[in-house]
């Protein structure tokens, strides 16, 4: 009688290393082929756009089909935007360095929650190295400390919690709101700052939005009057927030002036540098954030300018103690005391306890390429934005909203042949045509009520040839509408 070899049950198969190795090779080959294609074939679409309902129906049918699991990865690839495509120049999403993707694979597979040291020994130690490096680049002393968290929105909220803890007259965390608290911020600041203030219970009137100047920077000449008015109206202003840079226009606020104002009024100074604070790595562009070392806290997204997959955000405090004061809760099963200041138990300082090993994504980039790669990337992208702006200015049917400070450009097509034409409608239709064709990916924004086409140059492999092709396509589409 022949021996019967038992078949693996579903659970055993889910953890089979050999199956994983086979499938892993297939997926890596699939992704490598994809990267070669989008980098070298200009006819390869940036995205194959589908109506949302059609896309939903496709995946409903896919789930019930008997296709191989390897086909799932191929289908996901075909139904996703290609951020590594040189003509993907829309949202400010990083083009991840390839080695960081492998760091992400290890993070997902090991699944070490880094809120508690023993659950993430390597990632906690590496996180300290990464955040200390950023603190040094900002210009902080050894008194600084920070941590990583999942995105700029959560980081800005955490920073404002720290500001409330430090500057509120009463203990809001323990006793609830007694005073009417407020923050001051540019009207061009990212919406997550407004959202964070509302979550903290400040309400509409507690979010004091300061108008911007002609370059879309916060008008610091208006700060004193706004502060005095808020005080007279019964508000206790706890913080002023600077943008480095703003999301829509890429404008850098004057951080030196904001620091002076904060010190004069004994309030917290926070810098939302989610997109643009990465210039601290660049000798050529670091001047854009002069004064950042005077901030009490700084947010920086590695998944914007620093080539790291989303979401990986640093929140750095000038004074380490401020990062520990924010949350004061007991969690006896995790640690003995909230009072001790251990860098290695990050759950004491963040919303997150079970947190991805996001630090290893940054670390793999540093090990493979050195920190100079961050400077090279920023210099390349900002230089290309300036070059693109010059190309736009040379074409009579285009107009810039403003000269770029960062890698963000706003411009619109204006044929100037028909005074009755609605430029907002025209440019919206142009963008719609570009997206549906899949040739380019750009976005749109409104500046002082007018609609502009908006590009964020995130891919260092994007060239002048790609910019020329985009402008030619916009002219062609615009003329046919």
């Amino acid at each position: 009688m022949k021996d019967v070899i038992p078949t693996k049950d579903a659970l055993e198969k889910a953890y089979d290393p050999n199956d994983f190795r086979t499938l892993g090779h297939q997926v890596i080959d699939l992704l490598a082929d994809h990267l070669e294609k989008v980098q070298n074939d200009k006819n390869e679409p940036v995205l194959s756009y589908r109506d949302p309902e059609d896309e939903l129906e496709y995946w409903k049918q896919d789930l019930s089909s008997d296709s191989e699991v390897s086909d799932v990865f191929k289908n996901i690839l075909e139904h996703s935007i290609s951020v590594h495509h040189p003509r993907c120049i829309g949202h400010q999403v990083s083009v991840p360095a390839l080695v960081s993707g492998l760091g992400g694979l290890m993070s997902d597979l090991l699944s070490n929650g880094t809120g508690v040291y023993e659950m993430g020994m390597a990632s906690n130690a590496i996180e300290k190295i990464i955040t200390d490096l950023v603190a040094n680049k900002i210009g902080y002393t050894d008194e600084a400390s920070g941590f990583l968290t999942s995105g700029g929105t959560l980081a800005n909220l955490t920073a404002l919690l720290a500001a409330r803890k430090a500057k509120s007259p009463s203990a809001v965390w323990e006793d609830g709101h007694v005073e009417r608290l407020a923050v001051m911020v540019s009207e061009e600041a990212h919406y997550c700052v407004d959202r964070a203030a509302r979550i903290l219970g400040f309400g509409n009137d507690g979010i004091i939005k300061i108008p911007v100047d002609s370059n879309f920077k916060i008008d610091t000449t208006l700060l004193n009057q706004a502060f005095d008015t808020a005080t007279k109206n019964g508000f206790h202003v706890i913080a002023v927030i600077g943008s480095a840079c703003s999301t829509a226009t890429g404008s850098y606020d004057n951080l030196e002036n904001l620091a002076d104002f904060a010190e004069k009024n004994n309030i917290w100074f926070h810098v939302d540098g989610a997109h643009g604070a990465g210039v601290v790595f660049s000798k050529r562009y670091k001047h854009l954030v002069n004064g950042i070392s005077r901030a009490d806290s700084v947010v920086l997204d590695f998944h914007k300018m620093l080539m790291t997959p989303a979401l990986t955000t640093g929140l750095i405090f000038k004074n380490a103690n401020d990062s520990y004061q924010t949350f004061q809760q007991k969690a006896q099963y995790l640690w003995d005391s909230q009072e001790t200041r251990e860098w290695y138990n990050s759950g004491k300082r963040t919303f997150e306890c079970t947190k991805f090993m996001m630090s290893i994504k940054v670390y793999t980039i540093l090990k493979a390429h050195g920190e100079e790669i961050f400077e090279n990337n920023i210099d390349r992208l900002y230089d290309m934005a300036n070059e693109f702006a010059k190309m736009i200015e040379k074409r009579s049917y285009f107009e810039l909203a403003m000269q770029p400070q960062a890698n963000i450009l706003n411009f619109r097509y204006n044929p100037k042949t028909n005074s009755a034409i609605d430029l907002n409608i025209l440019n919206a239709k142009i963008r719609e045509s570009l997206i549906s064709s899949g040739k380019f990916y750009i976005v749109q924004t409104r500046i002082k009520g007018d609609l502009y086409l908006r590009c964020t140059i995130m891919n260092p492999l994007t060239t002048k040839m790609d910019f020329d092709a985009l402008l030619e396509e916009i002219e062609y589409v615009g003329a046919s509408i």
Side-chain angles (χ1 to χ4, degrees):
M1 184 177 179
K2 293 183 178 180
D3 292 334
V4 177
I5 301 175
T7 58
K8 293 179 181 177
D9 66 19
L11 281 174
E12 287 179 312
K13 191 168 181 60
Y15 294 98
D16 187 295
N18 290 318
D19 285 355
F20 172 71
R21 179 180 289 107
T22 300
L23 182 59
H25 281 303
Q26 293 175 5
V27 173
I28 292 295
D29 285 342
L30 176 70
L31 292 172
D33 290 344
H34 162 74
L35 291 167
E36 286 185 341
K37 189 180 295 183
V38 300
Q39 289 178 8
N40 299 309
D41 185 357
K42 298 298 183 182
N43 293 319
E44 183 69 17
V46 179
L47 75 164
S48 298
Y49 184 80
R50 294 171 178 83
D51 178 83
E53 295 301 326
D54 292 341
E55 186 71 9
L56 178 61
E57 185 59 32
Y58 174 87
W59 290 105
K60 284 181 177 178
Q61 293 182 18
D62 180 81
L63 185 60
S64 61
S65 71
D66 58 358
S67 59
E68 295 292 326
V69 66
S70 57
D71 291 333
V72 171
F73 296 99
K74 178 176 179 292
N75 293 339
I76 290 173
L77 192 59
E78 292 177 350
H79 286 248
S80 300
I81 193 167
S82 301
V83 299
H84 285 86
H85 198 300
R87 294 183 177 180
C88 181
I89 43 180
H91 286 294
Q92 53 246 65
V93 177
S94 77
V95 180
L98 303 187
V99 70
S100 65
L102 299 178
L105 171 63
M106 177 160 281
S107 173
D108 287 348
L109 190 66
L110 294 181
S111 197
N112 281 196
T114 59
V116 182
Y117 172 67
E118 58 265 27
M119 275 297 296
M121 293 185 296
S123 56
N124 271 299
I126 291 170
E127 182 169 318
K128 178 168 173 54
I129 291 170
I130 299 299
T131 51
D132 283 354
L133 171 63
V134 175
N136 177 263
K137 292 295 181 181
I138 289 172
Y140 284 160
T141 69
D142 291 342
E143 296 298 314
S145 182
F147 49 82
L148 300 182
T149 191
S150 298
T153 298
L154 196 55
N156 279 310
L157 174 59
T158 307
L160 289 187
L161 276 168
R164 189 180 70 178
K165 180 73 174 181
K167 299 299 182 179
S168 174
S170 59
V172 180
W173 186 263
E174 294 83 3
D175 304 326
H177 284 277
V178 176
E179 299 84 14
R180 299 176 70 193
L181 304 180
V183 295
M184 302 175 69
V185 66
S186 164
E187 64 181 359
E188 286 290 323
H190 193 270
Y191 69 87
C192 76
V193 175
D194 182 285
R195 181 178 291 175
R198 293 178 190 279
I199 291 171
L200 291 173
F202 294 174
N204 283 330
D205 294 337
I207 307 167
I208 304 169
K209 295 188 176 180
I210 309 299
V212 294
D213 61 20
S214 59
N215 292 314
F216 300 94
K217 304 167 181 279
I218 190 171
D219 190 341
T220 56
T221 65
L222 303 177
L223 291 173
N224 288 325
Q225 180 181 349
F227 184 88
D228 291 342
T229 299
T231 302
K232 289 176 182 177
N233 290 336
F235 284 94
H236 187 94
V237 178
I238 63 167
V240 63
I241 302 163
S243 296
C245 52
S246 62
T247 307
T249 62
S251 301
Y252 282 84
D253 287 341
N254 188 319
L255 303 184
E256 291 281 18
N257 286 357
L258 291 173
D260 289 342
F261 174 77
E263 290 173 6
K264 171 187 171 185
N265 293 285
N266 189 30
I267 62 175
W268 189 275
F269 176 30
H270 173 63
V271 173
D272 177 9
H275 179 82
V279 296
V280 296
F281 284 90
S282 167
K283 292 184 287 292
R284 188 180 307 167
Y285 289 103
K286 188 174 182 178
H287 69 276
L288 293 170
V289 291
N290 284 345
I292 195 171
S293 63
R294 299 170 65 188
D296 295 291
S297 53
V298 176
V299 164
L300 181 152
D301 282 350
F302 287 89
H303 61 269
K304 296 283 174 58
M305 302 301 299
L306 302 181
M307 309 169 70
T308 306
L311 291 167
T312 310
T313 297
L315 173 55
I316 316 297
F317 291 88
K318 178 191 283 188
N319 186 331
N321 285 334
D322 288 324
S323 68
Y324 291 99
Q325 295 289 341
T326 307
F327 305 109
Q328 293 288 341
Q329 292 172 291
K330 294 181 179 179
Q332 291 90 336
Y333 74 99
L334 296 179
W335 45 73
D336 292 333
S337 172
Q338 180 72 39
E339 299 302 320
T340 54
R341 303 290 192 254
E342 310 116 345
W343 57 263
Y344 47 84
N345 283 321
S346 64
K348 290 187 175 184
R349 301 194 285 173
T350 69
F351 275 100
E352 300 159 294
C353 183
T354 304
K355 185 175 69 175
F356 287 125
M357 302 169 71
M358 56 185 75
S359 62
I360 68 176
K361 300 177 186 178
V362 183
Y363 192 74
T364 53
I365 299 173
L366 291 172
K367 287 294 291 183
H369 305 291
E371 70 177 63
E372 297 81 9
I373 197 69
F374 294 149
E375 180 175 32
N376 294 341
N377 189 57
I378 290 166
D379 288 353
R380 166 73 175 171
L381 300 181
Y382 278 44
D383 288 350
M384 288 300 292
N386 290 322
E387 188 65 34
F388 189 24
K390 293 175 183 177
M391 295 169 65
I392 291 170
E393 289 182 311
K394 288 179 180 179
R395 293 183 177 243
S396 59
Y397 287 174
F398 290 88
E399 50 191 40
L400 277 171
M402 59 176 291
Q403 289 294 328
Q405 274 199 293
N407 56 331
I408 299 171
L409 292 96
N410 295 285
F411 63 99
R412 63 180 178 176
Y413 175 72
N414 184 358
K416 302 173 185 175
T417 57
N418 184 349
S419 59
I421 193 169
D422 188 321
L423 293 180
N424 290 343
I425 294 175
L426 175 61
N427 281 273
K429 288 183 176 179
I430 289 172
R431 177 184 177 273
E432 184 180 327
S433 176
L434 292 174
I435 300 305
S436 62
S437 73
K439 295 179 181 179
F440 296 90
Y441 181 66
I442 65 173
V443 296
Q444 65 188 40
T445 191
R446 284 191 177 270
I447 299 175
K448 295 184 177 180
D450 292 325
L451 186 142
Y452 284 84
L453 303 175
R454 178 175 172 277
C455 289
T456 308
I457 304 164
M458 300 298 294
N459 191 336
L461 302 183
T462 300
T463 66
K464 289 176 63 177
M465 185 183 302
D466 298 307
F467 298 146
D468 263 325
L470 172 61
L471 296 177
E472 291 287 347
E473 184 69 15
I474 290 174
E475 286 189 342
Y476 172 78
V477 173
S480 63
I481 294 175

